[in-house]
């Protein structure tokens, strides 16, 4: 059966089984569970689903919204709704100070970013303290949704002192590459990782269900002089990352 026949009202509609949007949501979930709708498959346009199922577009929209909330479907601006893709899990070493672009390139994955914020701002008290900023200084912020191989992987919100990154718009792909050009690439970092449940906004950006498991990572990076140059708060998808560290017996 193809998706068109699968959605055709006469093949599944039953007036007695609860709200219509729930019926449609369940039908699409059935399609996913049975393997008819594979990861990354597009859903037909809302208008077409409405015609096939003989439901109103409002009902169709409500069913799709529920599927997005549950993480089964992702909406891509301008191109429609898709079954959530299977994400490739990546193993990330905790002992090397690398950048996202380098990590993904090493795995043969192309990386890309969707900009959430990029500019010069008044610092928050936390930024003033962490970056040791003067009270009247500004801060450069770059916030991105980071994708690898087309899949959303992490949200990264980086803050840097303005003299280190006077023009945040210069960062197009790799922040560390831009820092490297000015000999400002960090040589040491302190990283804190905590488990979280993703809130609705972050989950939507990462294409997973609200409440799904995630990792909150704070990285504070230093130059060889000891100066702090980066304070980055990241949210990583819990289903996409394994962090690994090599442990050695301490000399007694
Ligand atoms: C990594 C770092 C992040 C850094 C970014 C630079 C973690 C948790 N975070 O994602 O702090 O800003 O790389 O990547 O590893 P880029 O050079 O590709 O922009």
């Amino acid at each position: 059966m193809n998706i068109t026949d699968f959605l055709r009202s006469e093949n599944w509609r039953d007036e007695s089984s609860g709200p219509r949007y729930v019926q449609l949501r369940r039908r699409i979930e059935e399609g996913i569970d049975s393997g008819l709708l594979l990861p990354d498959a597009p859903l037909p346009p809302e208008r077409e689903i409405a015609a096939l199922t003989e439901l109103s577009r409002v009902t169709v929209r409500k069913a799709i919204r529920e599927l997005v909330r549950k993480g089964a479907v992702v909406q891509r601006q301008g191109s429609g709704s898709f079954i959530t893709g299977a994400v490739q899990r990546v193993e990330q070493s905790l002992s090397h100070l690398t950048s996202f672009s380098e990590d993904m390139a090493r795995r043969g994955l192309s990386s890309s970013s969707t900009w959430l914020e990029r500019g010069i701002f008044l610092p928050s008290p936390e930024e003033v303290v962490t970056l040791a900023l003067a009270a009247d200084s500004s801060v450069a912020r770059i916030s991105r949704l980071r994708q690898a191989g087309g899949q959303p992987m992490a949200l990264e919100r980086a803050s840097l002192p303005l003299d280190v990154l006077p023009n945040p718009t210069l960062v197009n792909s790799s922040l560390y590459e831009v820092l490297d050009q000015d000999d400002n690439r960090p040589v040491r970092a302190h990283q804190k990782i905590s488990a979280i449940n993703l809130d609705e906004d972050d989950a939507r950006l990462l294409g997973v269900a609200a409440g799904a498991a995630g990792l909150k990572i704070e990285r504070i990076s230093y130059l060889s002089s000891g100066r702090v140059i980066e304070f980055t708060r990241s949210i990583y998808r819990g289903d996409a990352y394994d962090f690994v560290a090599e442990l050695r017996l301490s000399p007694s």
Side-chain angles (χ1 to χ4, degrees):
M1 194 183 278
N2 62 26
I3 176 72
T4 308
D5 289 333
F6 182 77
L7 290 175
R8 225 179 274 288
S9 69
E10 63 264 28
N11 291 333
W12 64 280
R13 287 282 307 281
D14 170 6
E15 286 308 328
S16 61
S17 61
R20 291 170 176 182
Y21 77 93
V22 176
Q23 290 182 33
L24 175 58
R25 191 202 77 211
R26 290 211 188 106
R27 182 67 175 167
I28 295 175
E29 284 171 340
E30 240 174 70
I32 297 171
D33 293 342
S34 68
L36 175 74
L37 291 167
L38 292 171
D40 288 318
L43 279 180
E46 199 178 284
R47 176 181 23 85
E48 201 179 315
I49 300 181
L52 289 166
T53 55
E54 293 172 25
L55 292 168
S56 71
R57 285 182 71 161
V58 174
T59 303
V60 172
R61 203 167 305 144
K62 206 163 164 192
I64 294 180
R65 208 180 308 131
E66 281 260 295
L67 288 162
V68 170
R69 197 183 50 77
K70 294 179 83 184
V73 164
V74 281
Q75 286 178 312
R76 301 192 188 130
Q77 222 145 39
S79 44
S81 303
F82 295 81
I83 305 304
T84 303
V87 71
Q88 184 180 337
R89 252 189 122 82
V90 300
E91 210 168 84
Q92 176 72 44
S93 163
L94 282 176
S95 35
H96 300 290
L97 181 52
T98 48
S99 73
F100 183 89
S101 317
E102 288 164 348
D103 290 335
M104 295 308 137
R106 208 168 340 102
R107 296 183 175 95
L109 295 169
S110 61
S111 49
S112 54
S113 299
T114 303
W115 288 97
L116 305 173
E117 189 175 59
R118 175 169 43 171
I120 297 167
F121 298 86
L122 280 179
S124 68
E126 193 185 20
E127 286 168 327
V128 170
V129 173
T130 311
L131 295 170
L133 301 177
D136 57 350
S137 59
S138 300
V139 72
R141 277 191 206 144
I142 59 171
S143 300
R144 304 171 275 179
L145 167 65
R146 313 226 51 183
Q147 291 116 334
Q151 290 287 346
M153 302 291 280
L155 291 163
E156 290 193 332
R157 302 177 168 103
S159 308
L160 297 96
L162 203 55
D163 63 304
V164 171
L165 189 65
N167 184 0
T169 59
L170 284 182
V171 182
N172 285 314
S173 48
S174 168
L175 168 65
Y176 279 14
E177 211 176 279
V178 171
L179 295 177
D180 208 11
Q181 281 158 12
D182 294 331
D183 278 336
N184 275 334
R185 186 173 170 133
V187 297
R188 181 169 70 85
H190 184 264
Q191 201 158 283
K192 184 167 117 187
I193 305 179
S194 348
I196 53 159
N197 292 106
L198 299 172
D199 69 26
E200 221 164 285
D201 290 343
D202 289 347
R204 187 175 33 79
L205 289 165
L206 290 169
V208 295
L215 295 159
K216 185 173 113 190
I217 308 181
E218 271 184 18
R219 182 183 279 193
I220 299 175
S221 311
Y222 303 83
L223 294 176
S224 54
S225 64
R227 182 179 179 198
V228 177
I229 63 144
E230 175 197 10
F231 173 38
T232 298
R233 286 131 297 166
S234 310
I235 309 277
Y236 277 59
R237 275 174 71 156
D239 61 347
Y241 273 91
D242 291 310
F243 284 95
V244 292
E246 187 177 287
L247 310 175
R248 288 170 199 264
L249 187 66
S250 8
S252 44

